[in-house]
Structure formats: C-alpha cells, structure tokens
Amino acid sequence: MPNIGPGEILVILLIALLVFGPRKLPELGKSLGAGIREFRKGTAGLKEEFEGSMRDPAQSVAPAPVQTIVASGVTPGVVMAKEVTPQPAQAVTPTTSEKAPEHV
C-alpha cells in the first residue's frame, strides 16, 4: 500500500470540499470520526476477550456441580442371591377344548 504524502491529502481534501460543500464537510468529519471510534472500541473488546480466553482457558470452563443422592430406609450390607431350585419339566397334554396339532 503506497504512503500518502501531504500533497495527496491536500488533493483529497479539495475534492471533498468541492463535492460536499463547506457546510456539510464538518458534519461528515464528525460522523466519520465517530464511526472510526466505535469500530476501534468494538475491535478492542473482541481482542481483549480473545486474549483472555487464550491466556487462561481453565477458568473459562467451570466444572459441573456434583449432586449427592442419599437413599433413606436402606441399610448398607451384602445382598445375597436367592437360591433357585430347578423344577422338573412337565408334559403338556391337550385338553378337550384344544385340538391336537395335525401333521400334514
């Protein structure tokens, strides 16, 4: 990007004076300055936020809270499985209301 010298600045100001007139030029300068100021504030805020997150990432992420659940009426101890005895297989016979399956 080329450097702008005093001659180029003078030419730009003369063109702006001819285009906008002597009454509008101060208002244009004020609004341009306010816009540049707001832009700098916005970029400074984003820059601080970015640097803060890069500097200390451990503080930005908080650990999840731990919830303890207490069961009332339960006594701690060993739970034993109940012994199950196998039952003998029973033969299924059709009753009078049921028909025996027919084999084809």
Side-chain angles (χ1 to χ4, degrees), residues 26-46:
E27 292 174 21
L28 184 64
K30 286 180 186 178
S31 64
L32 184 64
I36 291 173
R37 228 176 291 119
E38 288 296 319
F39 180 75
R40 285 185 182 172
K41 282 182 186 177
T43 56
L46 287 174

Side-chain angles (χ1 to χ4, degrees), residues 72-95:
S72 61
V74 177
T75 57
V78 178
V79 178
M80 299 293 287
K82 186 176 179 183
E83 189 173 317
V84 178
T85 58
Q87 299 291 328
Q90 297 177 355
V92 178
T93 57
T95 61

Side-chain angles (χ1 to χ4, degrees), residues 2 5 7-8 19 25 41 43 57 64 80 86 89 93 96 104:
E8 288 90 0
V19 171
L25 203 56
K41 282 182 186 177
T43 56
M80 299 293 287
T93 57
T96 57
V104 181

Side-chain angles (χ1 to χ4, degrees), residues 56-74:
D56 202 5
Q59 288 182 356
S60 64
V61 178
V66 177
Q67 181 180 7
T68 304
I69 300 173
V70 178
S72 61
V74 177

